[in-house]
Amino acid sequence: MPDKRQLPRLSTTPAADLSPLQAALGADYPEIWCTIAECLYIGLPTDPAVAALDVAQRITLAITLADVLRAHLGGQQPYLPVGTDYESTLKYRELYARFNGRNLIELQPESGVTARHLYRIFEAMRREDLARRQCGFNF
C-alpha cells in the first residue's frame, strides 16, 4: 500500500499530463514559475476537494496559485527546505502511536535507525507528551 503522504513528483509525471498546462502558460512564462505551476498542477488531483475539477479548471487554479506566489515571492531568493524533518516527525509519531513498551525491536526496521536511537526518540516524545498533559505542573 503506498504511503498516503507520498505526493506525485514532477520528475515522474509523464510529459503528456503536463502538455495542457504548458500550452496555457506559453513559452514566455518564466521558467522557475512554470516549474512551480507544474508542481501545483500535479499536486491538485491528490486533494479530495479539487479531485473533481476538470483539466481546464485545474490549469486555471495552478496558474492562479503560481501567479500569486510570483507576485509575493518574485525577486527574492528564498531557500525552500525539502522538509525531511517534517516527514521524519510524522513517521516517528506513527511508530510511537504503535509503541506499547515491548515492541521496540519490531518497530525498529520500519524506522530505518538503530533500536537505541529509536528508543531515544520515543523517550523524547514521551517527555513531550507528559509535559503537554501536565500543563506545566512539575509532577
Side-chain angles (χ1 to χ4, degrees), residues 117-131:
H117 185 70
L118 186 60
Y119 180 78
R120 285 186 201 125
I121 292 168
F122 286 174
E123 178 62 24
M125 289 179 170
R126 187 189 68 76
R127 275 189 257 121
E128 289 172 8
D129 287 345
L130 185 61

Side-chain angles (χ1 to χ4, degrees), residues 20-81:
L21 176 66
Q22 291 167 344
L25 289 173
D28 58 340
Y29 202 76
E31 184 180 357
I32 186 66
W33 294 106
C34 182
T35 302
I36 290 171
E38 289 170 351
C39 291
L40 292 169
Y41 181 77
I42 291 167
L44 287 175
T46 62
D47 188 317
V50 295
L53 296 177
D54 65 7
V55 172
Q57 291 170 319
R58 287 178 38 223
I59 288 171
T60 302
L61 187 55
I63 292 172
T64 301
L65 291 172
D67 284 342
V68 167
L69 289 170
R70 186 173 48 81
H72 289 281
L73 299 176
Q76 299 179 27
Q77 289 186 326
Y79 169 72
L80 302 173

